[in-house]
Amino acid sequence: TSRLPSDLAALGGKTPVEISGEGIAFVLSLPWDIVDGVTAAHDDILPFDIADAVRFIHAHAGRAITVDDVARQMTVSRRQLERRFRLALGRSILDEILRIRLDRARQLLLETELTLPQIATACGFSSASYFNVVFRKAVRDTPGAFRSSYTQSI
């Protein structure tokens, strides 16, 4: 059951809790008058905190940011931020950081001729081998094979 105010739940019948893949776009596009109208009773799930956190992650995707870095920037506890993310997007903040890094990596693999270590660094991974492990787990292919399969089909 959503604990969001009825004015948020009335937006197209969707709440951030009910949306998965398009959740970020929905949270980022909330009208500010609705966000400002959220009462203190709903303080633990304010959607604009999530949107601000997602913007921060995007802006710093090339750095090795951590969940603690995001929590410090949002001036909330790590636990509070993790709860808000899980409620609003249905995934953890660490999953979101990795998702954004991997999206950037896919883009760089397809649009540049950067080496895999350069892409790993540009996406905030501590090493090319760690990047390879994370990429392979998420995409079910190595970064090199992913790049090759798309460049051969063009």
Side-chain angles (χ1 to χ4, degrees):
T1 305
S2 175
R3 294 174 30 215
L4 292 172
S6 60
D7 55 347
L8 288 178
L11 289 175
K14 297 178 178 180
T15 67
V17 175
E18 297 167 347
I19 302 171
S20 57
E22 63 190 26
I24 294 170
F26 173 73
V27 171
L28 294 176
S29 67
L30 283 174
W32 286 110
D33 58 326
I34 292 176
V35 173
D36 291 338
V38 177
T39 64
H42 302 287
D43 237 6
D44 61 336
I45 54 170
L46 290 175
F48 63 86
D49 286 343
I50 303 305
D52 289 344
V54 171
R55 284 186 203 102
F56 177 79
I57 295 166
H58 273 281
H60 298 86
R63 298 183 187 158
I65 60 169
T66 65
V67 175
D68 288 330
D69 294 331
V70 180
R72 265 191 301 278
Q73 180 67 27
M74 299 299 108
T75 63
V76 296
S77 71
R78 178 185 174 127
R79 178 68 186 127
Q80 190 71 355
L81 184 63
E82 288 172 340
R83 282 185 60 240
R84 289 178 186 183
F85 252 81
R86 182 88 45 205
L87 284 170
L89 301 179
R91 61 183 164 264
S92 74
I93 187 166
L94 181 58
D95 289 342
E96 185 66 10
I97 291 169
L98 288 175
R99 187 190 69 75
I100 290 169
R101 285 181 182 167
L102 290 170
D103 283 350
R104 183 175 178 165
R106 279 190 283 267
Q107 179 183 8
L108 293 174
L109 284 165
L110 298 177
E111 296 176 3
T112 71
E113 293 184 16
L114 293 173
T115 66
L116 297 182
Q118 289 171 323
I119 291 173
T121 300
C123 296
F125 290 97
S126 57
S127 69
S129 61
Y130 178 61
F131 166 58
N132 192 43
V133 168
V134 172
F135 191 92
R136 186 175 188 151
K137 183 177 180 183
V139 181
R140 299 190 198 321
D141 212 350
T142 65
F146 175 84
R147 175 183 264 171
S148 294
S149 68
Y150 281 93
T151 54
Q152 288 176 359
S153 66
I154 294 177

